[in-house]
């Protein structure tokens, strides 16, 4: 190669020195180049300057020979030093060949490239900012360099560049963000550390508002938060903490809606630190942005609800999740029930970006990304509550048997809250929710059952549940499934001699069309799941009596049981209801109402209960004792001689005797003192005594009757019809003859059913023997 011709204005000695393997000789050549360029600067000879840079770049820095490349790098740095403040005019030509050497396989050459670029940047200072992206890109690669010397050199260059950015007010943040967004997803620890360090620097510069672009990098930050290095995790925590402080200071300028889905995803992270941090952010977002977060409620609930059942190992996450849940619930207001779901607010701007599907269920995932995005401003923003998505998520969680108790309670609280705040819209979902709400009554937790009953009670009593054509008398005659919403066929008067009002279907202003459906399906639940009736039946009915009108509950259940085809279940259910009626403190008022039968309503209720109570002879007697119908109780006991006396029957008589000794029948025992006016009470008690075998109950009742004064007055005559008790009963205008006939009719059905069961059992035994 003819050096004098091809590489002029560089002297042949300079060219030879630049190609030398010794650093000292290359350094001497660099000093000569610096002197030469200074002369060209003094002469304002830009063409020669460009020519020198081009020669150093093409013939040396990009040469195939490693020593030539090293010479080219030191020569370019010398040019930059010679150019001084004018180096900004040639930065593109100076920087590009140096950056190319960043990818060289030789670690020493990569180090010299760092050194050369450091000198170029040090001279140019703020002039390098237009080339910041390419410099950042190169540095981000060197940050992960395996050679410690190269890494050390890149750190020096990095610090210099950070100083320049910090002191400048001309940084192009808009142009830098796409590169930052790309590099932030690097998995290399050193690259991540480099990225975080730059984010911290940019956050600290007052003139750079990185918060505006936080949605672009937030997902990457949370991913870096899960790094294995404690140092990187700590740096990322600091960066996220600074962002959160800034958000709290200037909430009006924050793009909450654009970051909501990102937080939802990371609130479900397996890493505890990521999950806790994301949950803390979500808590602040809900409290600061308010109803702007409502369109993302389904996604937020998908992330938050499972956390409520965490144990003490994740106590912090659980506590923050609980605050998120409570805060989000408060955002739902009655006005949401009035807004037209089909109308979108004029303030809406764009559709939020879908990040990825959630891990819970497909249904919950699809509900995450709502087609709404809101500008953040101090003005009141109109939003539309996506109730369908919320209900879908709540329904999925109720169906998931693996979720914890606290999550199930929270789901039920949400449903109750939605029925209170948005009843009109919620009743569109009632038919789909009703089966799972009924199944939840079988939950192991009493707290869950209590909340479930609150929801069902609200459904049954809300005025929004009044629907046309679905009342208790709609004439439906379809046989219901286990949890199907169904109204049994209404019949005409059961007996031509019955009094008005004996067809007792509940209908009061406080109950809606779903009340009767609820009662039907609750009884069907008890029928199909006898264990539930045995273990929780009384508990459920007693709680319902607190939440709803106790009279309506007993009225409707008695009415439904009157048509029950499974007579054995009807008898069991009547026994359960009777025990609750006689012993529960919640039914004190109802017992007082039945005790005197002073009003038409109380007499109507008695007749309704009586007809169903006939499924169980002993409970029928106890109802007569409660209502002070002592003569009719005596007449019923007289009929017991015609019944099939079984061990179960005698056990129930035994229990009735025990009940008579309880506080609930204090008034009955006191009436034994007035033998003249209560002869049938005494005769009825003696009738029970005669039914009992010689047992502890027999002794108990016998001792009680021995305390009755003046036994000779027990003989009754027609004159006793003038007694106060009898006058009260006749004044009630109840046809006791018809009621007695009904009792006989029902008991005959039970006798026939028992014989049929016995016959089937005998046939089965024969088949087994054969």
């Amino acid at each position: 190669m003819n050096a004098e011709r091809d590489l002029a204005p560089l002297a042949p000695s300079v060219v030879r020195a630049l190609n030398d393997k010794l650093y000292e000789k290359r350094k001497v050549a660099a000093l000569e180049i610096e002197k030469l360029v200074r002369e060209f600067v003094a002469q304002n000879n830009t063409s020669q300057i460009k020519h020198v840079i081009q020669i150093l770049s093409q013939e040396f820095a990009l040469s195939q020979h490693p020593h030539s490349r090293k010479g080219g790098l030191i020569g370019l740095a010398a040019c930059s030093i010679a150019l001084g403040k004018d180096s900004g005019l040639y930065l593109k030509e100076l920087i590009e060949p140096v950056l190319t050497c960043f990818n060289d396989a030789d670690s020493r050459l990569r180090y010299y490239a760092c050194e050369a670029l450091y000198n170029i940047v040090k001279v140019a200072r703020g002039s390098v900012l237009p080339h910041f992206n390419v410099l950042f890109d190169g540095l981000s690669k060197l940050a992960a360099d395996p050679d410690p010397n190269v890494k050390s050199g890149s750190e020096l260059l990095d610090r210099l560049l950070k100083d320049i950015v910090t002191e400048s007010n001309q940084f192009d943040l808009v142009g830098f963000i796409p590169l930052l967004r790309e590099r932030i997803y690097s998995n290399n620890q050193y690259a991540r550390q480099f990225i975080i360090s730059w984010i911290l620097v940019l956050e600290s510069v007052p003139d750079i508002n990185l918060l505006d672009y936080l949605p672009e990098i937030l997902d990457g930050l949370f991913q870096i938060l899960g790094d294995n290095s404690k140092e990187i995790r700590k740096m990322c925590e600091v960066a996220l903490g600074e962002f959160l402080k800034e958000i709290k200071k200037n909430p009006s300028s924050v793009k909450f809606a654009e970051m909501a889905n990102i937080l939802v995803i990371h609130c479900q992270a397996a890493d505890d630190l990521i999950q806790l941090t994301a949950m803390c952010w979500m808590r602040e977002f809900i409290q600061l942005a308010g109803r702007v977060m409502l369109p993302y409620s389904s996604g937020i609930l998908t992330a938050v609800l499972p956390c409520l059942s965490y144990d003490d190992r994740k106590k912090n996450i659980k506590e923050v999740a609980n605050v998120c849940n409570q805060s989000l619930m408060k955002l739902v207001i009655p006005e949401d029930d009035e807004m037209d779901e089909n109308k979108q607010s004029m303030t809406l701007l764009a559709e939020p970006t879908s990040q990825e599907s959630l891990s819970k269920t497909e249904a919950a995932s699809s509900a995450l990304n709502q087609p709404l995005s809101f500008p953040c401003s101090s003005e009141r923003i109109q939003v539309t509550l996506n109730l369908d998505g919320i209900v879908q998520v709540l329904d999925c969680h109720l169906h998931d048997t693996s979720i914890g108790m606290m999550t199930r309670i929270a789901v039920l609280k949400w449903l109750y809250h939605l029925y209170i705040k948005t009843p009109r819209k919620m009743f569109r979902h009632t038919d789909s929710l009703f089966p799972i709400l009924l199944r939840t009554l079988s939950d192991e937790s009493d707290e869950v059952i209590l909340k479930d009953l609150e929801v069902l009670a609200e459904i049954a009593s809300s005025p929004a549940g009044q629907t046309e054509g679905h009342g208790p008398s709609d004439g439906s005659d379809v046989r219901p499934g286990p949890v199907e919403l169904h109204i049994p066929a209404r019949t005409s008067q059961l007996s031509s001699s019955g009094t008005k009002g004996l067809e007792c279907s509940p209908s009061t202003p406080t109950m809606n069309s779903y009340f009767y459906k609820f009662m039907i399906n609750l009884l069907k639940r008890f029928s199909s799941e006898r264990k539930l009736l045995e273990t929780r039946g009384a508990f459920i009915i007693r709680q319902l009596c607190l939440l709803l009108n106790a009279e309506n509950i007993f009225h409707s259940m008695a009415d439904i049981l009157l048509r029950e085809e499974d007579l054995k279940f009807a008898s069991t259910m009547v026994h359960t209801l009777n025990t609750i009626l006689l012993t529960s403190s919640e039914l004190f008022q109802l017992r007082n109402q039945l005790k005197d039968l002073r009003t038409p309503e109380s007499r109507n209720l008695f007749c309704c209960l009586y007809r169903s109570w006939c499924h169980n002879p002993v409970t029928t007697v106890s109802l007569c004792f409660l209502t002070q119908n002592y003569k009719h109780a005596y007449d019923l006991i007289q009929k017991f001689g015609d019944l099939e006396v079984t061990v179960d029957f005698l056990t129930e008589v035994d229990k009735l005797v025990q009940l008579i000794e309880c506080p609930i029948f204090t008034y009955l025992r006191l009436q034994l003192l007035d033998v003249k006016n209560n002869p049938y009470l005494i005769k009825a008690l003696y009738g029970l005594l005669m039914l009992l075998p010689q047992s502890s109950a027999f002794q108990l009742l016998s001792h009680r009757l021995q305390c009755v004064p003046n036994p000779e007055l027990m003989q009754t005559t027609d004159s006793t019809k003038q007694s106060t008790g009898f006058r009260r009963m006749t004044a009630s205008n109840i046809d006791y003859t018809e009621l007695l006939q009904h009792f006989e009719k029902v008991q005959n059905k039970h006798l026939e059913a028992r014989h049929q069961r016995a016959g089937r059992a005998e046939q089965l035994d024969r088949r087994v023997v054969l």
Side-chain angles (χ1 to χ4, degrees), residues 321-601:
N322 188 51
V323 175
C324 289
N325 184 55
Q326 296 295 329
S327 300
L328 187 64
M329 191 179 292
K330 291 175 183 177
L331 298 180
V332 181
I333 55 176
E335 286 76 7
D336 288 317
D337 205 31
E338 301 165 5
M339 294 179 184
D340 187 348
E341 289 176 312
N342 298 320
K343 292 181 180 179
Q344 304 298 330
S345 171
M346 296 303 291
T347 58
L348 306 185
L349 294 184
E351 183 174 323
T353 306
S354 172
Q355 299 293 326
E356 60 182 77
S357 62
L358 293 180
S359 58
K360 180 67 184 172
T361 61
E362 289 184 7
S365 299
S366 63
L368 167 61
N369 298 313
Q370 307 303 333
L372 296 170
S373 177
F374 300 90
C376 298
S377 68
S378 58
E379 300 174 5
R380 181 174 178 81
I381 299 172
Q382 294 294 323
V383 297
T384 301
L385 177 69
N386 179 22
L387 196 63
D388 292 352
I390 295 175
V391 171
Q392 193 177 31
V393 170
L394 297 175
D395 187 52
C396 286
H397 279 80
L398 271 186
H399 277 88
D400 187 355
T401 56
S402 64
I403 64 171
M405 178 188 73
M406 296 309 296
T407 298
R408 294 197 298 276
I409 291 173
V411 169
L412 293 167
K413 284 182 177 179
W414 259 101
L415 288 173
Y416 181 77
H417 183 73
L418 291 173
Y419 271 109
I420 294 291
K421 298 295 183 181
T422 59
R424 183 178 60 84
K425 289 182 180 178
M426 275 302 293
F427 268 93
R428 301 173 191 172
H429 301 278
T430 299
D431 285 354
S432 62
L433 288 170
F434 208 81
I436 186 61
L437 289 172
L438 283 170
R439 285 200 292 275
T440 305
L441 291 174
S442 302
D443 197 274
E444 297 176 355
S445 165
D446 285 352
E447 291 182 62
V448 173
I449 293 175
L450 280 172
K451 288 299 172 187
D452 191 36
L453 288 172
E454 286 183 18
V455 177
L456 287 166
E458 182 59 30
I459 291 173
S461 61
S462 174
Q466 294 290 3
T467 55
E468 295 181 5
H470 294 282
S473 57
D474 66 349
S476 170
D477 196 27
V478 181
R479 188 70 183 160
V483 291
E484 181 185 351
L485 295 184
H486 165 78
I487 308 300
R490 304 297 300 160
T491 59
S492 58
Q493 194 70 14
L494 294 173
S495 172
S496 58
S497 59
T499 61
K500 183 180 180 181
L502 289 184
E503 187 188 17
C504 309
S505 61
S507 57
T508 69
T510 58
M511 301 297 122
N512 60 32
S513 57
Y514 280 95
F515 173 80
Y516 207 62
K517 297 176 184 180
F518 176 31
M519 293 298 108
I520 292 167
N521 286 280
L522 179 59
L523 288 175
K524 287 195 173 296
R525 189 83 186 158
F526 286 148
S527 177
S528 61
E529 197 173 337
R530 296 298 172 87
K531 187 178 179 182
L532 175 65
L533 176 60
E534 293 171 8
T535 58
R536 299 286 180 80
F539 171 72
I540 289 171
I541 294 170
R542 287 174 61 183
Q543 292 303 318
L544 282 176
C545 288
L546 290 174
L547 295 166
L548 297 169
N549 184 288
E551 179 182 349
N552 286 344
I553 290 171
F554 273 78
H555 215 175
S556 59
M557 284 191 169
D559 188 45
I560 296 164
L561 288 170
L562 194 57
R563 296 158 181 78
E564 177 59 51
E565 295 178 1
D566 185 347
L567 298 181
K568 188 174 182 181
F569 166 70
S571 178
T572 304
M573 194 67 221
V574 163
H575 176 74
T576 302
L577 289 171
N578 186 66
T579 303
I580 296 168
L581 177 63
L582 294 179
T583 61
S584 298
S585 58
E586 295 88 350
L587 296 174
F588 175 78
Q589 187 175 353
L590 185 61
R591 284 196 296 271
N592 278 349
Q593 184 180 342
L594 285 167
K595 183 178 175 182
D596 296 323
L597 298 181
R598 291 176 179 173
T599 63
E601 290 78 16

Side-chain angles (χ1 to χ4, degrees), residues 65 90 114 124 160 205 213 256 326 397 435 464 498 527 539 587 663 743 760:
H65 196 278
Y90 309 95
C114 278
L160 174 62
V205 180
Y213 302 93
F256 290 105
Q326 296 295 329
H397 279 80
S527 177
F539 171 72
L587 296 174
F743 174 80
R760 284 196 295 270

Side-chain angles (χ1 to χ4, degrees), residues 21-29:
K21 64 179 181 179
L22 295 175
Y23 173 76
E24 289 76 11
K25 290 187 178 182
R26 295 196 301 271
K27 186 174 181 181
V28 171

